[in-house]
Amino acid sequence: LEAHPNKDGDGVDVWGLGGGPVKVTTMQGLDDLLRSTNSATTFYPYLWVPLAPGAKAVPLMVVCHDNTKKEMSLAIMAKRWRLLWKCCAEAGLEPVAHYGDGDPRVRQLTLWLGTKGKAKYRVDHPLMCLHVRLETVVLDDGREVEIAISAGIDPMHVHWRTFRQYLDVKRTLNIGGLFAAPTHLERFAKSTQVSLGINHSHLNFNNKTNFPGLLKVSDHKLDKYGAVVPAHRIRKELKQHAGARTVEGDLLYIEFLNKMVAITWVKCRTPKDLVHDLVWVVLFCLLWEESILDHKGDAAENKPSMATSCLTRPTLDDIQIYCQETILGLSLIHISEPTRPY
């Protein structure tokens, strides 16, 4: 399949489906076309997202495939990334980082880019394993161009998965011996007659992209302008009734989720505050995992497991990647603007 801008400038013409070009004006239109012709089961769009505030994302490449290893191996994906770097360099664009969702292959490629090869920049700290990588791109005319590139995980996907695992009835999160589950919040509200403002829609496990529920349980809200701001409600009520040990684990989890959401969505925070919360989240995940691994010698009936008592390994990895990538970015901003007060 090939796609080229059409002469009207309002879309692209898709070739290779038989019968001549087919005009497509939206990503959804492309998805519908591929499905209706059984041309592919999955497609990955690669978008250029400018750092300029308010600038629109521009599609650079759409890969149509059947989601098999033959079509989406790590080697093939790495080759496509290099092709994108070359195309950007040819056009005078300077890529800064790749961001993707929680696809396992994207995660592996992200770790490959951030831990292998020559480092252009790194933060010298034992908890930091990712770096900004230095790559050499060879242009069509033979010239070599160096780019500094890194990779991260889209925080929205990380937030949704982290929140949804709290709602999963197959899990009872065990945080250092304190348990967390949404049923605890419901029982707390009934026993204390304290309204937390949470309803069943906020705790709907089947809604994989439940942003209102994420904001509510993480103790945030939208202001009149639609911006995410702290709510200072749920944690306050739980802390005032901390004598009820059944919600102490939930309070820990909500504090953890609150910091994750605030890092991404709450505006007008200083880099110092952001780094403080990022490090807090990294250490929280490490200590949570360590508290479960410490119980290896316990009797089977008392032994917590990573499978049901903690976040999944991919989610923990994605949280670490997101936090470290953000710390790298903030550190580079500080280097580029050393006189800016923080």
Side-chain angles (χ1 to χ4, degrees):
L1 292 175
E2 290 188 13
H4 304 280
N6 65 8
K7 61 182 180 180
D8 298 325
D10 60 349
V12 296
D13 290 333
V14 180
W15 297 77
L17 297 172
V22 180
K23 181 179 177 180
V24 173
T25 58
T26 65
M27 297 297 288
Q28 184 59 52
L30 177 61
D31 181 84
D32 295 340
L33 175 63
L34 295 175
R35 294 183 187 279
S36 65
T37 56
N38 294 320
S39 301
T41 60
T42 309
F43 75 98
Y44 277 10
Y46 289 85
L47 307 178
W48 175 270
V49 183
L51 294 179
K56 293 184 178 181
V58 180
L60 294 182
M61 178 193 300
V62 177
V63 179
C64 308
H65 59 91
D66 59 4
N67 208 23
T68 63
K69 289 184 178 180
K70 180 181 178 181
E71 297 289 339
M72 287 296 289
S73 69
L74 288 178
I76 291 174
M77 293 177 67
K79 185 177 180 180
R80 287 178 183 142
W81 278 22
R82 293 185 186 280
L83 175 60
L84 285 169
W85 301 342
K86 177 184 175 182
C87 292
C88 288
E90 293 278 6
L93 301 174
E94 185 177 350
V96 176
H98 285 272
Y99 270 83
D101 59 14
D103 184 289
R105 292 158 299 194
V106 175
R107 182 183 304 109
Q108 286 181 271
L109 200 57
T110 296
L111 291 172
W112 164 78
L113 186 69
T115 59
K116 307 295 183 181
K118 184 177 180 180
K120 172 69 173 179
Y121 176 75
R122 67 170 73 247
V123 174
D124 187 17
H125 191 279
L127 289 179
M128 293 289 293
C129 65
L130 297 183
H131 59 237
V132 178
R133 181 160 157 174
L134 185 65
E135 280 285 338
T136 300
V137 178
V138 180
L139 306 183
D140 288 337
D141 60 7
R143 288 184 297 120
E144 294 185 351
V145 176
E146 287 191 337
I147 63 170
I149 190 79
S150 62
I153 302 294
D154 170 37
M156 194 73 260
H157 285 81
V158 179
H159 295 158
W160 283 332
R161 288 208 311 277
T162 303
F163 175 49
R164 193 163 180 261
Q165 287 170 34
Y166 173 65
L167 305 180
D168 189 351
V169 296
K170 296 179 182 179
R171 295 175 178 275
T172 300
L173 303 182
N174 183 336
I175 309 174
L178 300 174
F179 298 97
T183 53
H184 297 171
L185 301 181
E186 295 172 335
R187 286 201 296 264
F188 170 86
K190 289 181 180 180
S191 63
T192 62
Q193 298 299 306
V194 173
S195 173
L196 298 176
I198 297 174
N199 58 44
H200 291 297
S201 69
H202 295 136
L203 304 178
N204 182 7
F205 173 76
N206 295 319
N207 185 351
K208 295 183 179 181
T209 57
N210 189 351
F211 193 58
L214 172 68
L215 291 183
K216 179 63 70 173
V217 176
S218 68
D219 209 9
H220 290 91
K221 63 182 180 180
L222 297 178
D223 66 12
K224 62 180 181 180
Y225 302 106
V228 176
V229 295
H232 302 300
R233 179 175 182 179
I234 294 178
R235 289 173 299 161
K236 177 182 177 181
E237 295 293 353
L238 294 180
K239 288 176 181 178
Q240 287 180 345
H241 296 80
R245 186 174 174 80
T246 55
V247 297
E248 289 182 356
D250 301 271
L251 184 56
L252 274 175
Y253 173 83
I254 291 170
E255 189 69 40
F256 158 63
L257 193 63
N258 175 272
K259 292 187 183 300
M260 286 184 59
V261 172
I263 289 166
T264 304
W265 294 102
V266 177
K267 297 182 178 180
C268 300
R269 304 187 68 211
T270 67
K272 182 178 179 180
D273 289 339
L274 289 172
V275 171
H276 176 275
D277 284 356
L278 286 161
V279 173
W280 193 100
V281 169
V282 168
L283 290 174
F284 181 86
C285 289
L286 292 175
L287 291 172
W288 185 357
E289 181 179 357
E290 189 66 25
S291 72
I292 292 176
L293 296 178
D294 279 346
H295 287 271
K296 282 185 176 180
D298 291 2
E301 62 271 17
N302 298 321
K303 181 179 176 181
S305 72
M306 289 294 295
T308 58
S309 304
C310 192
L311 301 176
T312 63
R313 166 54 54 199
T315 301
L316 287 171
D317 288 346
D318 286 350
I319 291 172
Q320 293 288 337
I321 291 171
Y322 169 64
C323 289
Q324 292 196 30
E325 172 70 8
T326 307
I327 290 172
L328 278 173
L330 291 170
S331 181
L332 285 170
I333 291 173
H334 179 59
I335 290 174
S336 64
E337 301 182 48
T339 60
R340 182 175 177 179
Y342 291 102

